[in-house]
Amino acid sequence: MTQNSPQFDPERIARELDWNLLRTFVVLAESHSVTDAASQLRLKQPTVSTALKRLEDRLGRKLINRSPGHYALTEAGQLLYREAVEINGSVLRLSTLMREMTDDVRGHVRIAMASHVVSPLIDQALAKFHTAHPRATLTIDVQSSAKAIAEVAAKRVSFAICLVGDHNPALEYRRVFREYFGLFCGPPHPLFKRKNLAISDLEGHGSVSFETDRLQDVLKAVTVMRAQVALGQKITGVSSHLEEVRRMIVAGLGVGPLPMHVAARDVRDEQLWQVPPYEDLPAIDVYLVWSEKAAKNRAEQILLNGLLKSIESTPIEERSYR
């Protein structure tokens, strides 16, 4: 078959080619077998094989070499895959582009948020966004920091605000604020309201903490602080949610770490009592995490830009909460 054959007529291919076939081919190209692709597409294997055959017939080229133990794109298949990925991405962006034609911002923003993130900067950015774009909607999912970052990487959320351990090079990070952790106990605890406490007074007491309070994790500075006051051995309760750690501290299960600015109200209300150390408290940074590669609707991009602008225009000293 020659290149001048009607089989290769560009207008005929553009007119007759089914975009769904291209989408199926993208999955086939990224899979290890037709069976694997069928599983991802939630279709039966013969259906996917038929779709591949239809595409090869339309283009007049073999796209995938298949034999027992062998599955690989042909040269034509590699070329088509590169183009199909771009086409598929453009089709997926069509709905976003259509929304750009309207005056109102009506998109939905989904944020993955670490437990009990407290920051006036975030609150002000959300208030400003809602005032300017009242038709936009928002969902905030409270998750562990690790899960929040995983959701960003999987492009299932608009962005995350959480603690960060190792940086994923595929994602973007900006420090939103810095918080300082102290140790606290609740009313039933024998150290509650005791003044002039020394570090030695904490020795032997049980503690509660976060699941990420480990030397190799994001709260390792807090782990070191607990170890320095001999609270490292006897952990009576853990949680990934700050509210539940606070609950266990208030209930008297043990001494535990909390951000100083978050605990301040409970201290004033005599629900919490700070214990040593009182100086050189560990600092933990909270980050805004997002993916530049994820297509964003107008609402997502506007709120993200607003947060970044607030971060960049506010000195870190004003974003450090002691």
Side-chain angles (χ1 to χ4, degrees), residues 48-268:
V48 177
S49 294
T50 300
L52 175 60
K53 180 67 166 55
R54 286 176 57 202
L55 185 60
E56 289 179 331
D57 289 345
R58 291 283 175 85
L59 297 176
R61 295 286 188 180
K62 190 172 184 60
L63 301 174
I64 300 178
N65 284 323
R66 292 185 288 160
S67 60
H70 181 73
Y71 182 90
L73 295 179
T74 64
E75 185 177 351
Q78 292 173 359
L79 175 62
L80 179 62
Y81 172 65
R82 290 196 296 270
E83 296 300 322
V85 166
E86 291 298 319
I87 293 170
N88 192 50
S90 295
V91 172
L92 290 174
R93 288 193 292 270
L94 277 177
S95 61
T96 298
L97 293 174
M98 291 300 100
R99 284 196 296 271
E100 295 293 328
M101 302 295 293
T102 65
D103 292 331
D104 290 339
V105 176
R106 303 177 182 225
H108 186 72
V109 183
R110 193 175 197 94
I111 305 173
M113 188 89 72
S115 172
H116 212 74
V117 168
V118 176
S119 168
L121 184 146
I122 297 172
D123 297 343
Q124 291 163 10
L126 290 177
K128 185 176 180 180
F129 172 76
H130 176 67
T131 299
H133 310 290
R135 292 181 178 271
T137 55
L138 188 73
T139 295
I140 298 178
D141 296 322
V142 178
Q143 302 171 341
S144 68
S145 291
K147 180 66 183 299
I149 293 173
E151 291 292 284
V152 174
K155 302 177 183 178
R156 286 191 288 263
V157 298
S158 311
F159 51 82
I161 300 176
C162 58
L163 307 185
V164 173
D166 297 328
H167 285 224
N168 182 339
L171 302 178
E172 302 295 326
Y173 301 83
R174 291 290 186 281
R175 180 171 60 182
V176 183
F177 65 91
R178 171 168 287 177
E179 58 187 5
Y180 291 81
F181 276 72
L183 293 175
F184 300 87
C185 65
H189 198 275
L191 297 181
F192 190 77
K193 283 197 172 182
R194 279 187 54 184
K195 298 181 180 180
N196 302 316
L197 288 171
I199 286 179
S200 59
D201 292 318
L202 276 68
E203 186 172 352
H205 286 282
S207 66
V208 299
S209 198
F210 298 88
E211 289 181 353
T212 49
D213 179 357
R214 297 184 292 263
L215 280 175
Q216 72 274 24
D217 222 321
V218 291
L219 288 180
K220 59 186 177 183
V222 174
T223 307
V224 171
M225 176 177 66
R226 286 196 308 104
Q228 289 173 341
V229 297
L231 284 173
Q233 300 301 317
K234 187 180 177 183
I235 299 180
T236 55
V238 295
S239 177
S240 61
H241 291 283
L242 186 146
E243 291 89 345
E244 301 311 317
V245 172
R246 173 196 169 278
R247 185 197 305 276
M248 289 186 283
I249 296 172
V250 172
L253 274 66
V255 174
L258 290 171
M260 293 292 291
H261 71 298
V262 174
R265 178 177 296 179
D266 282 328
V267 171
R268 290 195 300 269

